[in-house]
């Protein structure tokens, strides 16, 4: 502990900080909110002032305030046990034995003693009894009210299938059944967001066509519908499941069954699997007062297949059984077994070990609070040493608006803009085409601009060097501010920027060993950052809320000293009631003192309440006023604490993620630190981003100068004083002088060159020329080859040498005459004729690209899994040669050894081994599974109708002519899915155009996909009306008016009004020099002429054609292949896709299935070949 306190004191050392100006902010007037009438439900808790503007938020607040952890309406027992199981609470026998100490006595070395302290065993046993009582309380809670009959209903949008058959609602059962349903409606369903009711007997009866939101009117309609239920016919559950499968927007399904259904469990489960393919809809299956074993078996199977839960209730004996009870009973059994082991420990027997219980701590020492043992920093109890400052600091975002690269005009594009020129294109009448200027491209450097275009830039090295010096000074300034933010109290609290400050301090039981750290952090804050503020207040919260003052008070030295004396009295206890502290802070001078105010939360964990409830409440109170909530997270490690554990726990990463989301909800900053330093800070992150941008600009400058030097071939002019630094900036390159032409070689020199390089043989002409010697003085040298022929022959020899396997040898003259000897130094490596089966690596995550590009990376050819190529080597060729004595062609003797197969009309020898074929089959099955996964991904979500959006700046064209009227509602839903699933998720810039008789545009330009713009786009698209003709050409002309558009997605259901050839010609003209890709989408179009036009339009611009025909059959076929294996090549068959992406992938899947079938047949052939010799030898 002393070491921890010492580290904290070093971290919180004082240091001078960087000064900055006062921020300017506009005051936002207080926004009044109209009261809202909640649903009149009698069994809810009274309003305590925390009710908000929605029934779900209200129920969420009521469920988190004032209720124990066991009564969490949104958690099943399995989810609840993740935080309350014996393993999570460290109450298993393994955790108990970890507290013991193994010792050996001197007189008996064979017997080992396991020693425990008495208080350890008592405390462990007491906690076990507490958890057992908690499990019993939750089981009793599950047996109350509607949970006893129907179980715990989970989900925000619930669909109900109610059995209204004569067997369930007849014979006096109807009134009791209706009473139970009304109780379910009033206790659980009223807290849901949406619900849907459907009763089934022989016929179906639905209350509404679609799910409805929960409000007073819908609750009254549901009550009246339940009271009007009448028994009718048999129990046709399959018909009801077919109807509920067509209902969208449900995330939970409750099936109440009182008799045996008409269909068998196998039929119902198989239909459920097919309908829920690609969806997640958990089923809560309830058996209501039914003793038939088939009913229970059917409901259990449905719950297991869908990942839901099962519940059974009998009215006669008032018995129930459910999945939730089963989980709790299992945990109770484990607790009982552990208690029995503890009793054995008290008796002194645990296996072969002896247990000795010792008591070593006195009662007086145990009563001392743990904070008395903590080491305090020097002068901890002394008065404050207040530092005065005459400025108000700024956040990094505000500081960068005045001191960032853009504000100082240090952006690379700002510096290069005067010397940057766009490429010129002019029409040349003689050539009858548009020609680009090449002069600028040769005289200047090319640089990609921030908007994606390429510009010609005149590079001035002195200017760029001066710019780099300015970047260096800017980076030094950023580093100094980052260091300033990492020192003193700013390391803990970040930068306090507002004039009015409210401090929220977590003093829960988790922080009992760190109360000195918290007090010292408050001391540093009061000394260094509070003297220049207008008003302040401090609120400490555990289970109870403790305020320094009832209202915010003006900042004076006396009040700061009083606040420090109050902080010294703080004690830790209870859990983290953050919502109560926030409510107390809001009630402080609500009308006057909330202009430009900051809430600073110092905590070490997540609040007691649910994070979605807290975040929605914070977002509401911070909206419409100048109020921010900043979160400072202090990581205290994993120290174990005595006493009860707080209600909610999360890992350090989960805690940081939850509190980061809380800061974003309050429009504030997130700051995460520990004793060793800062882990994460929004202020420092912005500075690091700006520094990375400056380093990137400097690197681009160096590349420009280096490119200029490479092109010019000489040193770029630079000032004398910057010559040395410029050499450091630009990489030095080795410049070689221009080589002179070789002299005309003679036969002697050529032979020596070849002998030195080790090429040729002894019988070659070069070696013979080397051994030539004149017989007399009159002899002359043999004639030399002409230069042209020599160059040609040398090129041919070099080409042949590259093709043949090279060998290395050393040649020399021998003493015997003119003979030449040679020593081989390196022998040629023989190339293997066999081809091995490669190991395939395929990524699990889907890549957003076209199928053509994806198969270039992961196709069968790229993965080297082409079976025909693996068995088509030179050693696999089956040949016959002519034997003259026999006067006929005869196969080789070894041909009978290898099996013969026919590949593409040619007979080949199968020389693959069994293990190689097994490995190939395994790899191909992995590849097929990955291809099918990609196919299912392409057929899911918005990609089913629109395909995959590839470009970052797109324009969506929607055909809203009169022929699309029957499909317009479905088209709106798919468009909404496209906006949120692809455009928003992948941060696209987009625009929407609807065209019929005229073209309607959502915006005048492409806009970035944010939450606000996506909501606006969905709202605009919902008002589209189908009418009139199809003006496709006008829509394309409007889309091409957006200069930064990269891709156009055209969705239509038929031919355009104008000529198709005219549209193709005009599109080619508008797209000349721009490279905009047009992707066409055929929507419910059966006209072959229209589809051919769309294919030509997409192919002309390099786009893709997409048609969603056959998507359901494709999903089903892919699912059957993945689940049932690949035993049959032709069953199931994939549908005939027409879209480019789906058609190309389907063809690759068909090819892979064919190779897999052939590989299995080859394997069977090899097995037969091995069995026959064995049989022959046995018979012999």
């Amino acid at each position: 502990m002393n070491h921890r306190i010492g580290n904290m004191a070093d971290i919180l050392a004082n240091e001078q900080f960087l000064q900055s100006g006062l921020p300017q902010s506009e005051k936002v007037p207080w926004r009044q909110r109209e009261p809202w009438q909640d649903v009149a439900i009698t069994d809810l808790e009274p309003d305590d002032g925390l009710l908000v503007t929605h029934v779900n938020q209200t129920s969420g607040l009521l469920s988190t305030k004032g209720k124990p952890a066991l009564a969490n309406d949104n958690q099943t027992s399995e989810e609840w046990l993740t935080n309350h199981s014996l393993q999570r609470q460290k109450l298993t026998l393994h955790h108990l034995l970890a507290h013991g100490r193994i010792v050996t006595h001197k007189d008996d070395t064979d017997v080992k003693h396991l020693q425990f302290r008495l208080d350890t065993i008592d405390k462990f046993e007491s906690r076990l009894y507490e958890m057992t009582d908690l499990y019993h309380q939750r089981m009793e809670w599950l047996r109350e009210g509607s949970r006893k009959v129907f179980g715990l209903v989970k989900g925000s949008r619930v669909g109900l299938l109610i059995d209204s058959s004569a067997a369930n609602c007849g014979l006096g059962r109807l009134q009791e059944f209706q009473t139970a349903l009304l109780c379910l409606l009033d206790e659980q369903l009223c807290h849901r967001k949406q619900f849907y009711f459907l009763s089934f007997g022989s016929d179906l009866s639905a209350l509404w066509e679609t799910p409805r939101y929960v409000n007073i009117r819908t609750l009254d309609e549901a009550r009246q519908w339940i009271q009007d239920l009448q028994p009718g016919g048999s129990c046709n559950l399959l018909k009801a499941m077919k109807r509920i499968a067509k209902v969208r927007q449900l995330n939970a399904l409750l099936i109440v069954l009182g008799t045996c259904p008409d269909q068998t469990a196998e039929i119902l489960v198989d239909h459920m699997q097919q309908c829920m393919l690609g969806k997640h809809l958990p089923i809560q299956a309830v058996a209501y007062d039914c003793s038939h074993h088939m009913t229970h078996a059917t409901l259990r199977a449905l719950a297991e297949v869908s990942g839901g839960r099962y519940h059974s209730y009998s009215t006669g004996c008032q018995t129930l059984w459910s999945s939730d009870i089963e989980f709790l009973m299992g945990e109770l059994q484990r607790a009982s077994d552990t208690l029995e082991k503890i009793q054995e420990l008290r008796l002194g027997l645990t296996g072969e070990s002896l247990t000795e219980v010792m008591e070593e701590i006195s009662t007086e020492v145990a009563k001392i609070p743990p904070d008395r043992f903590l080491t305090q920093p020097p002068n901890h109890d002394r008065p404050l040493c207040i530092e005065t400052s005459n400025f108000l600091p700024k956040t990094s975002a505000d500081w960068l608006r005045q001191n960032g690269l853009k504000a100082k005009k240090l952006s690379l594009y700002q510096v290069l803009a005067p010397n940057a020129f766009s490429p010129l294109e002019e029409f040349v009448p003689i050539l009858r085409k548009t020609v680009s200027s090449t002069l600028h491209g040769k005289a200047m450097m090319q640089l990609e601009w921030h908007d994606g275009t390429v510009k010609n830039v005149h590079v001035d090295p002195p200017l760029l060097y001066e710019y780099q010096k300015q970047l260096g000074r800017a980076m030094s300034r950023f580093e100094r501010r980052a260091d300033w933010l990492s020192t003193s109290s700013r390391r803990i609290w970040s930068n306090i920027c507002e004039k009015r400050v409210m401090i929220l301090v977590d003093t829960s039981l988790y922080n009992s060993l760190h109360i000195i750290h918290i007090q010292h952090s408050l001391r540093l804050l009061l000394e260094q950052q509070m003297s220049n503020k207008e008003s302040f207040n401090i609120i400490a919260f555990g289970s109870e809320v403790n305020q320094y003052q009832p209202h915010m008070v003006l900042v004076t030295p006396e009040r700061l000293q009083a606040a420090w004396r109050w902080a010294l009295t703080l004690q830790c206890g209870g859990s983290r009631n953050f919502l109560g502290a926030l409510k107390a802070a809001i009630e402080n001078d609500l009308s006057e003192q909330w202009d430009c105010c900051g809430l600073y939360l110092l905590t070490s964990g997540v609040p007691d309440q649910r994070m979605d409830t807290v975040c929605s409440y914070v977002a509401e109170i911070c909206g419409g006023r100048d109020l921010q909530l900043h979160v400072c997270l202090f990581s205290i490690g994993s120290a174990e604490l005595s006493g009860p554990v707080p209600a909610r726990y999360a890992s350090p990463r989960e805690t940081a993620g939850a509190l980061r989301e809380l800061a974003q909800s309050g429009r504030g900053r997130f700051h995460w630190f520990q004793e060793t330093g800062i882990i994460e800070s929004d202020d420092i992150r912005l500075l690091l981003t700006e520094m990375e941008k400056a380093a990137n600009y400097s690197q681009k400058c160096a590349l420009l100068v280096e490119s200029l030097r490479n092109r010019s071939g000489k040193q770029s002019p630079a000032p004398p004083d910057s010559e040395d630094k410029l050499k450091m900036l630009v990489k030095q390159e080795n410049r070689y002088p221009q080589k002179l032409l070789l002299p005309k070689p003679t036969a002697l020199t050529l032979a020596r060159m070849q002998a030195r390089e080790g090429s040729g043989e002894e019988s070659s002409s070069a070696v013979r020329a080397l051994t030539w010697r004149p017989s007399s003085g009159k002899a002359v040298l043999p004639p030399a080859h002409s230069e042209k022929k020599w160059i040609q022959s040398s090129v041919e020899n070099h080409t042949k040498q590259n093709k043949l396997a090279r060998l290395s040898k050393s040649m020399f003259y021998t003493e015997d005459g003119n003979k030449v000897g040679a020593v081989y130094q390196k022998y040629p490596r023989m190339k293997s004729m066999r081809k091995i089966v490669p190991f395939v690596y395929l990524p699990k995550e889907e890549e957003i690209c076209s199928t053509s590009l994806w198969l270039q990376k992961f196709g069968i050819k790229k993965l080297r899994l082409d079976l025909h190529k693996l068995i088509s080597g030179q050693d696999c060729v089956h040949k016959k040669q002519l034997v003259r004595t026999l006067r006929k062609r005869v196969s080789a003797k070894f041909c009978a050894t290898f099996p013969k197969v026919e590949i593409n009309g040619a007979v080949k020898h199968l020389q693959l081994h069994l293990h190689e074929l097994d490995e190939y089959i395994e790899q191909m099955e992995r590849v097929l599974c990955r291809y099918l996964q990609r196919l299912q991904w392409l057929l899911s979500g918005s990609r089913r109708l629109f395909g995959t959006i590839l470009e970052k700046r797109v324009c969506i064209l929607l055909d809203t002519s009169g022929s699309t009227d029957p499909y317009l509602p479905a088209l709106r839903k798919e468009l909404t899915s496209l906006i949120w699933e692809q455009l928003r998720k992948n941060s696209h810039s987009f625009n929407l155009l609807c065209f019929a008789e005229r073209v309607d545009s959502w915006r005048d330009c492409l806009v970035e996909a944010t939450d606000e713009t996506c909501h606006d786009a969905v709202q605009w698209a919902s008002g589209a009306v189908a009418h009139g003709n199809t003006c496709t050409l006008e829509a394309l002309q409007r889309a091409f008016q957006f200069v930064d558009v990269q891709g156009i997605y055209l969705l239509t259901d038929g031919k355009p009004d104008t000529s198709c050839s005219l549209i193709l010609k005009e599109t080619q003209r508008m797209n000349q020099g721009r490279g905009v890709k047009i992707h066409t989408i055929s929507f419910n179009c059966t006209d072959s002429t229209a589809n051919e036009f769309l294919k030509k339009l997409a192919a002309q611009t390099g786009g893709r054609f997409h048609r969603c025909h056959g998507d359901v059959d494709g999903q089903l076929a892919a699912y059957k292949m993945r689940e049932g294996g690949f035993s049959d090549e032709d069953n199931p068959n994939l549908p005939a896709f027409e879209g480019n992406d789906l058609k190309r992938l389907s063809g690759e899947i068909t090819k892979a299935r064919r190779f897999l079938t052939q590989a299995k047949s080859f394997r069977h052939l090899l097995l037969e070949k091995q069995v026959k010799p064995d049989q022959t030898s046995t018979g012999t």
Side-chain angles (χ1 to χ4, degrees), residues 86-105:
L86 297 180
Q87 183 68 29
R88 189 61 181 268
Q89 299 294 329
K90 298 182 179 180
L91 293 178
T92 62
L93 184 62
H94 174 74
H95 293 97
L96 176 60
L97 295 178
H99 293 286
R101 184 167 58 94
I102 298 177
V103 296
T104 303
H105 288 286

Side-chain angles (χ1 to χ4, degrees), residues 832-851:
S832 177
M833 302 297 292
R834 294 184 56 81
K835 299 180 180 180
I836 61 174
V837 179
F839 178 78
V840 175
Y841 169 74
L842 294 172
K844 297 181 180 180
E845 299 296 332
E846 295 296 346
E847 182 179 357
I848 301 177
C849 64
S850 63
T851 300

Side-chain angles (χ1 to χ4, degrees), residues 960-978:
T960 56
S961 58
S963 57
T964 61
D965 184 56
Y967 317 107
L968 196 57
L971 182 59
R972 294 195 193 100
K973 294 180 181 179
E974 295 293 341
L975 180 61
T976 303
S977 177
L978 170 70

Side-chain angles (χ1 to χ4, degrees), residues 825-1082:
Q825 296 176 344
K826 183 178 180 182
Y827 291 90
R829 180 179 297 177
M830 300 302 295
K831 185 177 181 181
S832 177
M833 302 297 292
R834 294 184 56 81
K835 299 180 180 180
I836 61 174
V837 179
F839 178 78
V840 175
Y841 169 74
L842 294 172
K844 297 181 180 180
E845 299 296 332
E846 295 296 346
E847 182 179 357
I848 301 177
C849 64
S850 63
T851 300
S852 177
L853 182 60
W854 193 79
L855 289 179
Q856 289 179 10
K857 301 178 181 178
F858 309 109
I860 295 177
K861 183 178 180 181
K862 182 66 176 178
L863 298 176
R864 295 183 296 171
L865 289 179
D866 193 333
L867 184 61
H868 295 171
K869 290 186 177 181
L870 288 176
I871 61 176
S872 296
Q874 296 180 2
D875 55 345
C876 300
V877 179
H878 176 73
K879 293 182 180 180
K880 293 183 179 180
Q881 294 184 355
L882 177 63
V883 180
R884 295 181 179 180
T885 57
L886 300 176
R887 296 181 180 179
K888 64 179 181 179
R889 294 183 177 274
V890 180
S891 302
K893 292 183 179 180
F894 66 85
C895 290
T897 306
F898 301 101
K900 293 187 289 293
V901 294
E902 185 176 352
I903 301 297
N904 297 329
V907 179
K908 302 287 185 180
H909 289 153
L910 184 60
Q911 296 188 16
L912 293 177
H913 301 293
L914 278 177
H915 68 89
E916 292 176 335
L917 283 175
D918 291 338
E919 184 178 357
Y920 178 82
I921 292 173
E922 180 184 357
Q923 298 295 333
M924 187 55 70
E925 287 180 349
R926 289 181 59 244
V927 171
L928 264 175
C929 290
R930 185 62 183 88
Y931 286 171
L932 293 173
Q933 177 185 344
R934 175 84 178 181
L935 181 65
Q936 289 180 320
W937 180 73
L938 291 175
L939 292 175
S940 62
S942 60
R943 292 174 294 274
R944 181 188 67 87
L945 178 61
F946 291 93
T948 308
I949 306 298
L950 304 181
E951 295 80 11
K952 286 295 183 181
R953 294 186 286 274
V954 297
C955 183
I956 312 297
L957 310 183
L958 301 177
D959 182 5
T960 56
S961 58
S963 57
T964 61
D965 184 56
Y967 317 107
L968 196 57
L971 182 59
R972 294 195 193 100
K973 294 180 181 179
E974 295 293 341
L975 180 61
T976 303
S977 177
L978 170 70
I979 292 173
W980 289 106
E981 183 181 2
Q982 297 196 58
L983 300 181
R984 179 65 183 96
K985 183 178 180 180
N986 299 324
S987 301
H988 290 269
S989 297
F990 72 102
N991 198 356
L992 303 179
L993 272 73
C994 292
F995 62 95
E997 292 180 346
R998 58 186 180 86
V999 181
D1000 294 330
S1001 177
W1002 169 51
R1003 294 289 179 88
D1004 296 333
C1005 60
L1006 302 184
V1007 296
E1008 185 180 356
T1010 61
D1011 292 342
E1012 293 78 11
T1013 56
C1014 289
H1015 280 297
D1016 190 19
V1018 171
Q1019 185 68 24
W1020 180 82
S1022 62
V1025 179
H1027 66 285
N1029 300 325
T1030 308
C1031 57
T1032 307
L1033 180 58
E1034 289 78 358
L1036 290 172
Q1037 290 174 346
R1038 177 72 66 85
F1040 272 101
Q1041 292 178 1
F1042 304 126
V1043 293
D1044 54 346
V1045 67
Q1046 295 177 343
I1048 298 175
Y1049 289 78
L1050 172 64
L1051 184 143
T1052 181
D1053 67 338
K1055 293 176 61 178
D1057 295 342
T1058 56
S1059 172
C1060 296
S1061 59
L1062 176 62
I1063 294 178
L1064 294 174
K1065 183 178 180 180
E1066 287 296 319
T1067 303
Q1068 184 178 9
R1069 182 188 62 81
M1070 291 185 294
N1071 198 25
Q1072 189 172 7
R1074 296 188 59 179
V1076 179
K1077 294 183 179 181
I1078 300 179
H1079 308 275
T1080 56
I1081 304 165
S1082 176

